[in-house]
Amino acid sequence: MSEDDVLAAAEGLDDELSNVTRLLVLSALYIVGPMYEGDLARLLGVSWGKLSTHLRRLEEAGYIRRRRVIGEDRPRVLVRVTELGVARLLRHLEAASRLREAASRKAHRRP
């Protein structure tokens, strides 16, 4: 595999989603659907502070939207993935899959 092959396989990797926590946030929202911030933090096993930092980056990139919802006991923040977020997530995962396949082919050719 040449350097050009590696670069071609990596086409579509997203800088924002190269962070594992942001990738997991977007993946969870895509798979599960809209979630409250607290529920998302519990699902991913991260602190609210860490989650908040990543949510802010994803929101600034246009990948998610947050909306304050007035609940019975307190206001909560509902997070959902945007169409742009879905498109970028799927593109990123496709590029990662191409890299994995290329690495697998290389590993099978080794003596």
Side-chain angles (χ1 to χ4, degrees):
M1 175 177 254
S2 71
E3 291 178 12
D4 289 339
D5 293 334
V6 171
L7 293 176
E11 181 72 28
L13 286 176
D14 189 287
D15 288 341
E16 290 298 330
L17 299 180
S18 292
N19 175 280
V20 173
T21 301
R22 287 192 292 275
L23 176 60
L24 289 173
V25 165
L26 212 58
S27 296
L29 292 171
Y30 177 65
I31 293 166
V32 176
M35 297 179 71
Y36 291 110
E37 285 181 341
D39 296 334
L40 189 55
R42 277 188 292 284
L43 175 70
L44 301 179
V46 299
S47 69
W48 185 89
K50 181 177 182 178
L51 178 65
S52 179
T53 299
H54 293 293
L55 290 178
R56 184 174 53 253
R57 295 244 343 228
L58 290 168
E59 189 170 38
E60 288 170 358
Y63 294 4
I64 65 161
R65 292 281 183 259
R66 293 189 279 184
R67 182 173 54 105
R68 184 173 294 276
V69 176
I70 305 300
E72 292 178 21
D73 55 345
R74 68 187 188 287
R76 300 173 77 187
V77 177
L78 187 65
V79 185
R80 68 172 180 81
V81 65
T82 63
E83 287 183 28
L84 175 63
V86 170
R88 295 291 170 89
L89 172 64
L90 296 177
R91 183 176 181 213
H92 182 83
L93 293 174
E94 187 176 300
S97 179
R98 283 194 307 270
L99 280 174
R100 183 194 56 76
E101 289 171 13
S104 179
R105 284 193 305 272
K106 176 72 173 181
H108 285 34
R109 280 186 253 157
R110 288 193 170 175

